[in-house]
Amino acid sequence: MANAAEHSGANGHAGVIGDHGRLGAARLLLWALAGALAVRQAAAVLRVPPAEWLNGFHLPGSLPGSVYDTGQFSDTPFAGLVLKPLVGVAAPSLEVAWTCVTLVCVAAIGLVAARGLPDPVPRRTALLAAPVLTALMMVSLPVREAASPGQTAVLPVLLVLLAVFRVPGDRPAGFLVGLAAALQPALLLFAPLLWLTGRRPTARTAAVTFAGATALSWAAMPRDSWTYWVQHLAGTGLGGAPDGLANQSVHGALLRLGLTGPVEILLYAALAAAIVWTGLRRAVRYARDGQLLLAVAVTGCVAVAVSPAGWRHQLLWVLLAVAGKVGKRAADRPVWPVAVVLAMTLPSTMLLPNLAALAPVRDNVLLLTAVAAACAVPFLPRSSAYWREPVPTDYGRPAAARWARVPLMPFWRRVLSRPNLLLELLLIRVGYSLYSHIRAAAPTSRSLAEGNGSQIHGIERALGIDIEHAVNHAVVGTPWLEAFFNFYYTSFHFVVPLTILGLLYWRRPGDYRWARASLGLATVLALAGFWLYPLAPPRLMPGLGFIDTVHGPQDLANPSYGAMTAISNQYAAMPSLHFGWSLWCGIVIVVLAPKGWQKLLGALHPLITVCAIVATANHWVLDAVGGAVVVSAGFALVYVLSGPRGLQLSLPVQRRGAEAAAGEEAPGEGERRPEAAPARSA
């Protein structure tokens, strides 16, 4: 017994050491990634010529001039008082120093915020939080814009975090908060937060510091102070139009909706008061609950949302709101962080389609995310039973291998529960946007694409399958058939896959996951084909006599083939995803449909699609073969990557293994124990 216990302890200790080593290596890699992203950001800024970069300060070269003479400077007079003397510094030195200081501040924010996570912090989170947050901030929209000359948005965030988490003493902490408010007046809302959470000396010091800095700027720059505080009402309209997309505040959103005058002012005041009341109450509750970082993030979101001019580069607070936990199920926990990261790193046009009805949402994605974090997202309190132990994900048992010679790699496990709908919609939309951008960016050399088209045509003639011309002209000679294939080509490409995904999500969530994964992998593989083999479809091949039945006559002497050229890459034809996606639909329906007539319809869909793409002269026959190859590869990858941990065992061995497992652990706990053990040891 003693030997067994000693052996078990040694193995456990070795496991902890090994886990710590892996986490250390992961942390180094993440810091290296954050450093690479910082270098990339610095390179983007330093590529701007020094003279042009210095003009970005929007400050006059002579000290007596007003900082608002150009109408582009948007910060407070106190910020202008601090920045104005920097204009005399040599442009190259100032450019390098400004960029480096900004990026160092971003890294410092990541370190301080990671230290502010509420206890208990799992060991993995404690080691990886700082580099992950820093890397995300480096690619976020606020940091990319804050690295521009003259922007001070990163510094106030760091000052507040230092005051709350790192600086001892009430007066030094209050001084930093007041200094941050002097740079961004809306951050004075942190004074009520400090007051209501019992740090009244800090709140008083913050208010006094803000008042002193503002009075100093009035004394030194009275004209600028009058311009900022009186003429422009806390900077509204400075640095850009108040109804511009860069102004992600409630005031800017109302102006973009067409509201003006007293009605807009009254509605703005009412909405701002409601956001301040709700947001501060929530922030105080989170602070008293021990989630101080979340309380700080919520207050920052409130400050930017209610400010008359809340610029995009001031919304770094939203990214800090990922510190809050949302959802009782473990499967729901990634929804809020993923939504925040997507909103903070991607253009809004990638998150929502370019539809007029969605414009009010698409134009205000950052504002809506900030308001949601401040007033709506139901963050869990630490007293909740689900704070540390959410409802676990229901995993299926590994399936037995069907082909013993195929090596299976269990990189993910089969999840039986239905995935979160919001997360799925976000990932599908962003995935398709990335696919569209990558496809549009693929090589579009006309000579190369036509050369590859001639090559494909030659191969088909050698194989005796060059039927495109005959089919195309036969369909053109039959008007009803031409109309049918045109309608089928333009209508069913997206409708059928989305319908199948929707039905699987609702009726068969376990099958939805592998079907969705196989479709995504096939699409990614197709992108490689678009890049490596640009191909002119038959309708864009000169001298072959094809008729474009869908888009109409094309001027083949002009590489801009009408309006379609601006929408998508016309040479992204190999492989054909029109046929590939239809084949995926057919396979899924044939495999999963319960009735014979449903299976027949599923089998007919790819058959009709291949006729449509050939009849309309949009693809070669070999394009369909390429589509079949990538879809088959997608299914194969899902099978290989989600395979069991070993090959199928004989029946007696399986029974003995099941009996041993039943004797060692309670039913239902065996699948969760490997994931729960690290949390307990932490």
Side-chain angles (χ1 to χ4, degrees), residues 299-327:
T299 307
C301 291
V302 171
V304 180
V306 303
S307 176
W311 305 111
R312 281 194 298 254
H313 60 269
Q314 298 174 345
L315 277 164
L316 198 58
W317 304 102
V318 181
L319 201 55
L320 300 179
V322 298
K325 295 182 179 181
V326 183

Side-chain angles (χ1 to χ4, degrees), residues 219-232:
M221 307 168 64
R223 176 187 167 191
D224 294 320
S225 298
W226 178 268
T227 300
Y228 182 87
W229 292 107
V230 179
Q231 291 183 354
H232 287 273

Side-chain angles (χ1 to χ4, degrees), residues 45-81:
V45 176
L46 297 178
R47 277 199 297 266
V48 179
E52 182 180 341
W53 188 92
L54 188 59
N55 291 336
F57 264 109
H58 307 302
L59 296 173
S62 59
L63 292 180
S66 170
V67 295
Y68 301 115
D69 281 345
T70 62
Q72 297 299 314
F73 187 70
S74 60
D75 287 336
T76 63
F78 179 76
L81 185 65

